[in-house]
Amino acid sequence: MPSLAERARELDAIDPLADRRKLFDLDDSVVYLDGNSLGAPPRSVADRMTEVVREQWGRRLIRSWGEGWWTAPERVGDRIAPLVGAAPGQVVVGDSTSANLFKALVAALRMAEGRKEIVVDAATFPTDGYIASSVARLMGATVRAAALDALELTENTAVVLANQVDYRTGRAYDVGAITSEVHAAGALVLWDLCHSVGALPVDLDAHGVDLAVGCTYKFLNGGPGAPAFLYVPQRLQDSFDQPLAGWNGHREPFAMAPEFEPSSAIARGRCGTPDILSMLALDAALDVWDGVNITDVREKSLALTGFFIDCVDSLVGSRVSVVTPRDSTRGSQVSLACEDAQAVMDALIARDVIGDFRPPNVLRFGFAALYGRYTDALRAASTLADVLT
Amino acid sequence: MPSLAERARELDAIDPLADRRKLFDLDDSVVYLDGNSLGAPPRSVADRMTEVVREQWGRRLIRSWGEGWWTAPERVGDRIAPLVGAAPGQVVVGDSTSANLFKALVAALRMAEGRKEIVVDAATFPTDGYIASSVARLMGATVRAAALDALELTENTAVVLANQVDYRTGRAYDVGAITSEVHAAGALVLWDLCHSVGALPVDLDAHGVDLAVGCTYKFLNGGPGAPAFLYVPQRLQDSFDQPLAGWNGHREPFAMAPEFEPSSAIARGRCGTPDILSMLALDAALDVWDGVNITDVREKSLALTGFFIDCVDSLVGSRVSVVTPRDSTRGSQVSLACEDAQAVMDALIARDVIGDFRPPNVLRFGFAALYGRYTDALRAASTLADVLT
């Protein structure tokens, strides 16, 4: 039986996505397993930023708004669309995930006239719950937290806000099945894709999803705080009545009309002037996806996280417990529970194995299929074994 | 009597801010008079972006969040604070102006319990009115447009949203006098500083202003769509109850607590993860203000716009009418009304004199004191005279 080291080298050697790693600016001395929090920089970003600042801003000045800047939110959205299974014209980039959740939840309550309950995934990243509470307060609605496998929807449920991947445990949920369940109850579903976009297939159009948001700085590698995205399918765009109705979402923004009339397209999801530097950094970062099939990404992600779990089982054993599902119902991270998890993670980082800590006791290791290596997974597990000795 | 050309050369020669121009990456062949729409790039921005992408993001990766990124919204806010007359700890940077208007208007209505009218400056940039209408709809309030010199406040007025400088005409209003008038009526005032920050003194603290927002991509030169700022004075921070209550505004964001508890400081104005690339481009851009006194900026701005009006009077005459006040009640732009204004502006831009057009018939020329030159003002007026012949 080959050793873990032999297996790791062989898996790297036959990895069909191995060539992608050279598109990233990463030190080989560092094992970077926090791409589920901040993706690594694609090499193209730094030069693109220089060009945007010196040429587009410096030489073309205000004229650049008419030479690609104004339409960047929809154009970059159309580059993300295939990664989430959306046809063009349904994804717009801008603002933060929290702000887009706010837009989408208010719009959903307005669509679901009469129904007044927001159901929030009980395991959600906290901002989703905070925003849901804020929206409920403004709209005279209520918020109920529920596990995604025990939703208990009622005739009063307007919208279910669900995370495709649990940020803490790494468990992945079935978008199709949950969407169908929500629709059967007459409610709308809003998917938060922060921990799944770029890591596994989403198929928004195919599943008839109503609304979705996601961030671009994790598996999409768009840069720290890169603008988020909002998905509104064609069939709902006319009824998408969102509250951050700034001038960018107007039908004719440069008419400077006193009354707001929303754009008839996905642009109605826009609010104020988009952050162009961050938007075009993301645009450059998306180049690493050219020619990549998301099913290949998923295949490698499962293999890589599975191999890491094997290494942890062999080398670390019962000193940690694997929180992430061992079957295929996981995203692209492995979470391990252990005592003193914060101190353990600090020690790992001091040894150049970078994951992160999530309270109360979770070590998270994110695996990005475009730059992750099996040898790195092994090194992470063996460093963890050292730290825990 | 010296010619206009002689006067221009002499005024440039004695300009105490003349040395600032070399801090900007501007072609001398272009007369750039659209800094009131998109400021010119400070030279430091391109290299800073390279450092942020390659070193902070590339080498430090996720660790950079603990090495200055997380607190950047407040730190950069504190760099803007002196330009608007605010003590530290009262300005936070992030999101768009429209999103910040939304936060501030909802918070203002909540503070003004019982009062239900939002009064909006009738001449406002449209997004302010759009956002006010959206907030009114959510909060069961009403919106009334009123001229800033005829506000007609009532006991039902909760908040007045006013622009210090009219984006179309360039007229500047008296922040102190209007703030006092609004306070005398028992209402709150929210100032939109988009067209004044970096162009003239604001003195928010001294005037007892309640709330303010502004953008950073005009006279602050932060880059296209650079993040906006929000001012909440210390005395109102505990009662600033804003609706975009994302995890960044939480008292302990990394506790990942299920309930939202707002920060006790200006951070409660934050929403989602801040756009770090755009934020740090702005940070670099603010270096051009080091050692600059805003009263010197105001003095040059009045002299430069006054000289431009003289040139227009002499060279263009009655073919245009000067919309902007000829006395000192103006911001840092000159607006001229003329027929076929869009075509005239296109012809000017084709001759490398860059201003902009605002409907229905306004040519706008913005003068940025840090890089504007008297010889450029003369060239703009004489090119306009040529175009109109």
Side-chain angles (χ1 to χ4, degrees):
Chain A
M1 191 171 152
S3 70
L4 288 170
E6 284 164 345
R7 273 179 65 201
R9 279 194 302 272
E10 185 181 318
L11 287 164
D12 278 334
I14 62 172
D15 171 10
L17 291 173
D19 68 321
R20 292 279 135 176
R21 184 177 166 97
K22 65 178 185 293
L23 301 178
F24 291 84
D25 178 20
L26 263 173
D27 289 331
D28 275 340
S29 60
V30 170
V31 177
Y32 191 58
L33 301 177
D34 210 7
N36 54 330
S37 189
L38 174 68
R43 287 188 191 279
S44 56
V45 174
D47 287 349
R48 184 76 59 85
M49 278 295 89
T50 301
E51 193 245 323
V52 169
V53 173
R54 289 198 200 277
E55 299 304 317
Q56 297 182 22
W57 180 12
R59 301 285 75 72
R60 299 301 297 160
L61 292 155
I62 190 74
R63 292 167 288 198
S64 283
W65 277 113
E67 295 166 357
W69 288 358
W70 185 266
T71 53
E74 293 83 21
R75 187 176 58 73
V76 180
D78 277 346
R79 297 192 71 189
I80 293 171
L83 295 171
V84 293
Q90 305 183 116
V91 176
V92 66
V93 175
D95 303 316
S96 64
T97 303
S98 298
N100 283 301
L101 283 167
F102 188 88
K103 296 173 194 170
L105 283 173
V106 171
L109 280 169
R110 285 174 174 164
M111 288 184 208
E113 226 178 301
R115 291 177 174 234
K116 287 291 186 187
E117 183 188 64
I118 304 171
V119 173
V120 178
D121 176 355
T124 187
F125 184 80
T127 212
D128 302 53
Y130 303 160
I131 295 289
S133 295
S134 175
V135 167
R137 178 176 165 206
L138 281 166
M139 304 282 290
T142 56
V143 177
R144 177 168 58 85
L148 290 186
D149 43 20
L151 285 172
E152 298 180 16
L153 306 177
T154 76
E155 288 190 354
N156 192 37
T157 306
V159 57
V160 175
L161 168 50
N163 293 255
Q164 187 178 6
V165 173
D166 183 320
Y167 81 101
R168 208 184 306 239
T169 65
R171 178 168 169 195
Y173 288 86
D174 184 331
V175 172
I178 292 173
T179 298
S180 296
E181 180 188 350
V182 174
H183 285 175
L188 298 166
V189 69
L190 163 55
W191 283 99
D192 180 334
L193 308 176
C194 284
H195 289 83
S196 53
V197 60
L200 57 168
V202 187
D203 295 328
L204 294 174
D205 284 352
H207 292 310
V209 166
D210 303 301
L211 297 165
V213 302
C215 90
T216 64
Y217 49 76
K218 299 179 190 288
F219 294 108
L220 296 187
N221 315 299
F229 66 88
L230 169 70
Y231 162 84
V232 184
Q234 210 86 52
R235 71 191 154 83
L236 292 183
Q237 287 179 8
D238 281 350
S239 40
F240 186 77
D241 180 8
Q242 66 103 341
L244 296 181
W247 75 295
N248 268 238
H250 197 281
R251 186 179 298 263
E252 287 189 79
F254 291 96
M256 310 269 158
E259 299 298 326
F260 184 77
E261 278 189 73
S263 159
S264 57
I266 187 65
R268 71 164 61 194
R270 291 171 64 165
C271 175
T273 305
D275 247 332
I276 290 298
L277 300 187
S278 292
M279 179 88 64
L280 297 185
L282 167 62
D283 190 23
L286 289 171
D287 289 355
V288 299
W289 295 95
D290 288 349
V292 172
N293 192 318
I294 194 74
T295 57
D296 294 338
V297 167
R298 176 62 170 159
E299 198 173 312
K300 175 171 173 186
S301 157
L302 282 173
L304 196 53
T305 48
F307 179 70
F308 178 66
I309 292 172
D310 287 350
C311 294
V312 169
D313 286 342
S314 293
L315 303 173
V316 185
S318 64
R319 287 170 290 178
V320 299
S321 68
V322 178
V323 174
T324 302
R326 286 170 180 272
D327 63 17
S328 65
T329 63
R330 62 172 182 263
S332 204
Q333 74 183 59
V334 176
S335 297
L336 306 176
C338 77
E339 275 179 38
D340 295 326
Q342 173 78 74
V344 171
M345 184 49 70
D346 290 347
L348 284 170
I349 292 173
R351 284 155 208 226
D352 283 333
V353 173
I354 303 178
D356 62 24
F357 161 75
R358 285 294 176 264
N361 65 341
V362 171
L363 305 172
R364 291 199 315 174
F365 300 92
F367 290 84
L370 296 193
Y371 54 81
R373 296 184 299 200
Y374 296 88
T375 41
D376 286 344
L378 172 58
R379 184 174 147 202
S382 79
T383 307
L384 177 61
D386 287 350
V387 163
L388 288 174
T389 301
Chain B
M1 190 172 152
S3 71
L4 289 169
E6 284 163 347
R7 274 179 64 201
R9 281 194 301 271
E10 187 182 316
L11 287 165
D12 278 334
I14 62 171
D15 171 10
L17 292 173
D19 68 322
R20 293 278 135 177
R21 184 179 167 95
K22 64 177 185 296
L23 302 178
F24 290 85
D25 178 21
L26 264 172
D27 289 330
D28 276 339
S29 61
V30 170
V31 177
Y32 191 58
L33 301 176
D34 211 7
N36 54 330
S37 189
L38 174 68
R43 286 187 192 279
S44 55
V45 173
D47 287 348
R48 184 76 59 87
M49 278 296 89
T50 301
E51 193 244 323
V52 169
V53 173
R54 288 198 201 276
E55 300 304 318
Q56 297 182 22
W57 180 12
R59 300 286 74 72
R60 299 300 297 159
L61 293 155
I62 190 74
R63 293 167 287 198
S64 283
W65 276 112
E67 296 167 355
W69 288 357
W70 185 265
T71 52
E74 293 83 20
R75 188 177 57 74
V76 180
D78 277 345
R79 297 192 71 189
I80 294 171
L83 296 171
V84 293
Q90 304 183 114
V91 176
V92 66
V93 175
D95 303 316
S96 64
T97 303
S98 298
N100 283 301
L101 283 167
F102 188 88
K103 296 174 195 169
L105 283 173
V106 171
L109 280 169
R110 285 174 174 165
M111 288 184 209
E113 224 177 302
R115 293 178 173 233
K116 286 292 186 188
E117 183 188 64
I118 304 171
V119 174
V120 179
D121 176 356
T124 188
F125 184 79
T127 211
D128 302 52
Y130 303 160
I131 295 291
S133 295
S134 175
V135 168
R137 179 177 164 204
L138 281 166
M139 304 281 291
T142 56
V143 177
R144 177 168 59 84
L148 290 186
D149 43 19
L151 285 172
E152 299 179 14
L153 306 177
T154 75
E155 289 189 354
N156 192 36
T157 306
V159 56
V160 175
L161 168 50
N163 292 254
Q164 186 178 6
V165 173
D166 182 322
Y167 81 102
R168 206 184 308 239
T169 66
R171 179 168 168 194
Y173 288 86
D174 184 331
V175 171
I178 292 173
T179 297
S180 296
E181 180 188 350
V182 174
H183 285 176
L188 298 165
V189 70
L190 164 55
W191 282 99
D192 180 334
L193 308 176
C194 286
H195 289 83
S196 53
V197 59
L200 59 169
V202 185
D203 296 327
L204 293 175
D205 284 352
H207 293 310
V209 165
D210 303 301
L211 297 164
V213 302
C215 89
T216 65
Y217 49 76
K218 300 179 189 286
F219 294 109
L220 296 187
N221 315 298
F229 67 88
L230 168 69
Y231 162 84
V232 183
Q234 210 87 52
R235 71 189 153 84
L236 293 182
Q237 287 178 8
D238 280 349
S239 40
F240 186 76
D241 181 9
Q242 67 103 343
L244 296 180
W247 73 296
N248 268 238
H250 197 281
R251 185 179 299 262
E252 287 189 80
F254 290 96
M256 310 270 159
E259 299 297 325
F260 185 77
E261 277 189 73
S263 159
S264 57
I266 187 66
R268 72 164 61 193
R270 291 170 64 164
C271 176
T273 305
D275 246 332
I276 291 298
L277 300 186
S278 292
M279 180 88 63
L280 297 185
L282 167 61
D283 190 23
L286 289 170
D287 290 355
V288 300
W289 295 94
D290 288 348
V292 171
N293 192 316
I294 194 74
T295 56
D296 293 339
V297 167
R298 176 62 169 159
E299 197 172 312
K300 176 171 172 186
S301 158
L302 282 173
L304 195 54
T305 48
F307 179 71
F308 178 67
I309 293 172
D310 287 350
C311 294
V312 169
D313 286 344
S314 292
L315 303 174
V316 186
S318 63
R319 286 171 290 179
V320 298
S321 66
V322 178
V323 174
T324 302
R326 287 170 179 272
D327 62 18
S328 64
T329 63
R330 64 171 180 263
S332 204
Q333 75 183 59
V334 176
S335 297
L336 307 175
C338 77
E339 276 180 35
D340 295 325
Q342 174 78 76
V344 171
M345 184 49 71
D346 290 345
L348 283 170
I349 292 172
R351 285 161 194 186
D352 283 335
V353 173
I354 303 177
D356 62 23
F357 161 75
R358 284 294 174 265
N361 65 341
V362 171
L363 306 171
R364 291 199 317 174
F365 300 93
F367 290 85
L370 297 193
Y371 54 80
R373 297 184 299 200
Y374 295 87
T375 41
D376 285 344
L378 172 57
R379 185 176 145 202
S382 79
T383 308
L384 178 60
D386 286 352
V387 164
L388 288 173
T389 301

